[in-house]
Amino acid sequence: MRLRLVPNETRIDFFRYAKVTFGGSLIAMLLSLVLWLTMGLNFGIDFRGGTTIRTESTQAVDVGVYRSALQPLNLGDVTITEVFDPTFGDERNVAMVRIQAQEDQESVSAQTISDVEAALQTVDPSITFPSVESVGPKVSGELIRTAFIAVGAAMILILIYIWLRFEWQFSVGAVAALFHDVIVTIGVFSLLQIRFDLATIAALLTIIGYSINDTVVIFDRVRENLRKYKKMPLRDLLNLSTNETLSRTVMTSGTTLLALLPLLIFGGDVIRGFVFAIFWGVIIGTYSTVYVAKNIVLMLGVKRDWSKPDANQGNQFANVDA
């Protein structure tokens, strides 16, 4: 007896509420942009600038105790991460303490660093500080620009890839869905003021890759059905293709979410933003594949000239290896 989340054959009309779903996506993107411009993002140390202090101790690292010791200093965004390395012995416990740049200061002052070291020594007398590294506002500003350039470059390359593999209508639909995913995700981060750092950028790139993978699977089935059902209306053909791949979509997204859920709940503050971005991205990426990318393709239409002797003529890039 096998568990089936989706019946073998489904006949869901994904375009039945197309105006509602597509309109809702446009509204969500608009609201996300408004939130981004008005509330801004809660940038982490990577983008604000700050200081990283490496600690070593013979006692086990207790992140909660460290955080409680630093709380009276009112340093703002402080991230404490225990460092695990198989080469470390039982007497070598390492942690990284990251402190955001303070107001009107190029970097965290020497006095602030001394206060942090003193506060940690009160809870762990054996603690030492082998290294201190600072990231200034100029470097953090360059990181912001580089991060968004990376996201934009990924979308452009994906647009070119889909264009070569399928047709330009599919390329526009896929990239529109990716823009939808990234902008709405940034809007959620702005609304909830979740820390936005380089790990979040990595999550956004992961979302782009995950979303486009699901989109390509459906588009590949669409291309097969375009040859198989030469006279079927495009709307019915897109519905058929989505229904045929629905089981795969649900199983892939569902198992990914099941793997991410424990990390989201028990992973702690250090990785929660990263995991939340991927968790939300899987949901919004699956939605955009079904309700955004296909709607764009339907609106643009796909030219099918079956009067040619060779049905593949004019589609010479269709069989480019994935």
Side-chain angles (χ1 to χ4, degrees):
M1 183 176 179
R2 293 186 301 171
L3 175 65
R4 292 188 180 277
L5 299 179
V6 179
N8 284 334
E9 294 184 7
T10 57
R11 300 178 181 273
I12 302 173
D13 184 2
F14 292 97
F15 294 102
R16 183 176 181 181
Y17 302 106
K19 292 182 179 179
V20 175
T21 56
F22 195 69
S25 296
L26 291 176
I27 293 173
M29 292 177 65
L30 181 61
L31 290 176
S32 297
L33 291 173
V34 171
L35 288 171
W36 188 2
L37 294 174
T38 55
M39 296 181 62
L41 292 170
N42 180 21
F43 286 120
I45 294 173
D46 297 326
F47 296 148
R48 285 183 178 175
T51 295
T52 300
I53 303 174
R54 181 184 177 93
T55 71
E56 290 191 15
S57 175
T58 56
Q59 298 182 21
V61 174
D62 190 325
V63 174
V65 172
Y66 283 17
R67 193 180 302 279
S68 298
L70 298 179
Q71 191 171 4
L73 300 178
N74 296 320
L75 298 174
D77 184 15
V78 177
T79 302
I80 304 173
T81 311
E82 184 174 1
V83 178
F84 295 96
D85 192 310
T87 63
F88 293 167
D90 294 337
E91 298 298 315
R92 189 181 181 191
N93 301 283
V94 180
M96 304 295 286
V97 180
R98 310 180 73 186
I99 308 166
Q100 73 176 40
Q102 306 302 296
E103 295 293 336
D104 302 324
Q105 293 184 16
E106 183 69 17
S107 61
V108 176
S109 66
Q111 181 61 48
T112 300
I113 294 174
S114 298
D115 292 342
V116 170
E117 294 176 350
L120 292 177
Q121 286 173 339
T122 60
V123 297
D124 185 356
S126 66
I127 197 168
T128 59
F129 309 94
S131 66
V132 177
E133 298 178 355
S134 295
V135 177
K138 183 177 180 180
V139 174
S140 62
E142 292 176 356
L143 286 175
I144 294 175
R145 289 191 297 272
T146 304
F148 281 98
I149 289 173
V151 175
M155 291 188 179
I156 292 173
L157 292 175
I158 287 173
L159 184 148
I160 296 172
Y161 166 75
I162 300 296
W163 195 336
L164 294 177
R165 181 169 172 80
F166 299 99
E167 300 287 347
W168 69 268
Q169 297 93 332
F170 293 92
S171 179
V172 173
V175 173
L178 294 182
F179 268 108
H180 170 272
D181 299 342
V182 171
I183 291 174
V184 173
T185 300
I186 291 176
V188 171
F189 267 72
S190 179
L191 177 64
L192 301 179
Q193 287 296 291
I194 301 173
R195 186 170 61 248
F196 192 92
D197 50 20
L198 284 178
T200 309
I201 295 296
L204 288 178
L205 293 172
T206 304
I207 292 169
I208 290 174
Y210 186 94
S211 179
I212 199 63
N213 176 69
D214 197 27
T215 303
V216 166
V217 169
I218 295 179
F219 281 178
D220 202 50
R221 183 57 61 88
V222 170
R223 186 178 60 186
E224 292 175 4
N225 286 336
L226 282 170
R227 298 171 179 170
K228 186 176 180 180
Y229 305 103
K230 299 180 180 180
K231 295 184 178 180
M232 180 180 290
L234 184 58
R235 170 176 170 148
D236 295 339
L237 190 142
L238 290 171
N239 264 330
L240 173 65
S241 302
T242 307
N243 278 287
E244 288 178 344
T245 57
L246 186 61
S247 177
R248 182 264 180 201
T249 298
V250 172
M251 288 297 295
T252 303
S253 300
T255 52
T256 304
L257 292 176
L258 286 176
L260 291 171
L261 190 59
L263 289 175
L264 185 63
I265 297 174
F266 303 111
D269 181 67
V270 174
I271 65 170
R272 183 165 290 122
F274 174 79
V275 176
F276 175 81
I278 298 181
F279 188 91
W280 168 257
V282 170
I283 297 173
I284 198 68
T286 303
Y287 171 88
S288 67
T289 296
V290 176
Y291 289 107
V292 176
K294 291 196 302 82
N295 281 9
I296 297 290
V297 173
L298 181 62
M299 286 188 288
L300 294 176
V302 178
K303 184 178 180 181
R304 294 186 286 182
D305 186 1
W306 302 110
S307 63
K308 297 176 182 177
D310 181 4
N312 291 323
Q313 186 176 347
N315 193 28
Q316 65 269 33
F317 295 112
N319 294 318
V320 174
D321 291 335

